[in-house]
Amino acid sequence: MRIDFPGLQAFLSIAERGSFSRAAAHLNLSQTALSHRIKKLEEDLGFQLLARTTRQVALTPAGLELLPTARRMIGELSDSIDLLRARGRKRQEHIALGCLPTIAAYHLPRVLKQFTVLHPGISIKIHDNSAGEIATLVQSGQAEFGITITATNIWDLAVTPLIKERFVLLCTKDHVFAQRKFVAWSHLEDTPLIRISPQAGNRALIDDALGHRRDTLNWRYEVQHLQTAVGMVFEKLGIAVVPSIAVATQGTAGLVAVPLRNPSVSRTVGIIVKRGQPVSKPAQALIDLTRKYFQAVG
């Protein structure tokens, strides 16, 4: 059944104010528009709700019967709208996003510095997790968007590429590979290597690119996070294959990044959002700033 909420709102306003003119002013309507609403409501119900004279407006028996119901319905609707508005304002004041740790450690703070100047007062929660975890957070709505590896296609996520970067060999400046223009994967067979756990997106990209050749390499250590691998390289426990962006992060002083070939391995980092689910205005502003930042550094 269709409910004429504008008509009920007009009826309630007249009943509470006892005047068409005062009710029209309250609703910011002309008296003609207000009369049209009441007439349409009465025609739909089949009853006259208001008895109009030149001096006053009175409720008919049908109007008296409808009045408490109209008050309850309009009140409940008003409360629901106020609650939704409050939730909307809260969403506007808070952003949750997922971000790869390598991006979160170096690039994201620079973007957030610009964002805070333009949008002060907005709190931001950063889930600096793996690519798989970020995808899950965006799918579940716990994060409005993610900055992550875009190699995996997930049907309910929309992807906007940001930057494509190659994997490089990270070693100390005094390592035998440090002065080379490039290193082939075949040169690494007898060298202790540090790799990331299978849960990380970087590991999957490298394994897929190497195929069976990965089993011939000396994977001496396995860690959960890239930052751990960088620290172990610094202590000369081995060398690591890392995204080139990791070399730009703090804490890599004294280390050298050497290009890898045969094969060259790269990854694409992009922004993911849940398909068909609009993000809040502040989140969209942060996405736009992120895109501009990577266009400049790329």
Side-chain angles (χ1 to χ4, degrees), residues 4-298:
D4 184 3
F5 280 104
L8 288 174
Q9 185 184 41
F11 164 73
L12 186 59
S13 185
I14 295 169
E16 291 177 342
R17 289 163 182 81
S19 164
F20 268 71
S21 60
R22 287 193 293 270
H26 173 72
L27 295 175
N28 196 26
L29 293 172
S30 67
Q31 290 193 45
T32 301
L34 184 66
S35 296
H36 178 73
R37 286 191 181 184
I38 291 297
K39 181 180 179 181
K40 184 173 180 296
L41 177 64
E42 289 177 331
E43 289 176 350
D44 285 345
L45 295 176
F47 290 100
Q48 184 179 353
L49 301 173
L50 302 170
R52 299 180 277 281
T53 68
T54 56
R55 294 185 178 182
Q56 64 180 5
V57 178
L59 297 181
T60 66
L64 289 170
E65 183 179 350
L66 177 63
L67 182 59
T69 302
R71 279 179 174 154
R72 177 180 56 79
M73 293 178 67
I74 295 300
E76 289 177 352
L77 179 61
S78 179
D79 290 343
S80 296
I81 290 174
D82 288 343
L83 180 60
L84 289 173
R85 284 175 177 164
R87 289 177 180 173
R89 286 193 295 270
K90 184 176 181 181
R91 187 183 183 215
Q92 295 290 316
E93 296 167 357
H94 175 78
I95 302 172
L97 66 122
C99 187
L100 294 173
T102 48
I103 305 293
Y106 182 74
H107 294 281
L108 186 59
R110 299 185 174 194
V111 178
L112 293 178
K113 187 174 182 180
Q114 300 177 46
F115 180 81
T116 301
V117 172
L118 297 172
H119 305 274
I122 296 178
S123 63
I124 300 174
K125 183 175 183 178
I126 302 166
H127 299 274
D128 46 346
N129 296 89
S130 68
E133 290 169 324
I134 292 171
T136 300
L137 287 168
V138 175
Q139 286 177 302
S140 66
Q142 293 177 265
E144 287 198 69
F145 69 94
I147 306 172
T148 183
I149 299 171
T150 61
T152 302
N153 294 319
I154 303 176
W155 70 272
D156 59 345
L157 297 179
V159 177
T160 302
L162 288 174
I163 190 171
K164 186 174 183 179
E165 57 173 345
R166 295 185 182 277
F167 284 86
V168 295
L169 185 69
L170 191 66
C171 61
T172 55
K173 288 184 177 180
D174 58 355
H175 194 277
V176 64
F177 292 148
Q179 303 304 318
R180 295 192 181 185
K181 292 183 178 180
F182 71 90
V183 175
W185 285 90
S186 58
H187 299 158
L188 304 179
E189 292 183 359
D190 297 323
T191 304
L193 297 173
I194 305 162
R195 67 176 171 181
I196 312 299
S197 71
Q199 286 73 31
N202 292 334
R203 167 72 174 273
L205 289 172
I206 293 172
D207 285 353
D208 290 346
L210 293 179
H212 68 276
R213 189 186 307 180
R214 65 179 179 267
D215 297 327
T216 66
L217 299 175
N218 180 15
W219 300 108
R220 180 73 59 83
Y221 301 99
E222 180 173 298
V223 298
Q224 297 294 317
H225 301 288
L226 192 146
Q227 292 90 334
T228 305
V230 172
M232 295 175 71
V233 172
F234 187 81
E235 294 299 328
K236 301 182 180 181
L237 293 170
I239 58 179
V241 178
V242 300
S244 57
I245 204 169
V247 183
T249 61
Q250 298 177 357
T252 56
L255 303 181
V256 175
V258 184
L260 274 167
R261 295 185 184 175
N262 303 321
S264 295
V265 186
S266 62
R267 71 175 187 176
T268 299
V269 173
I271 292 174
I272 60 171
V273 297
K274 190 167 184 179
R275 196 180 300 277
Q277 180 69 43
V279 299
S280 64
K281 289 183 179 179
Q284 186 59 56
L286 182 53
I287 289 173
D288 293 341
L289 275 178
T290 302
R291 293 175 63 182
K292 290 179 181 179
Y293 171 84
F294 278 99
Q295 286 173 357
V297 301

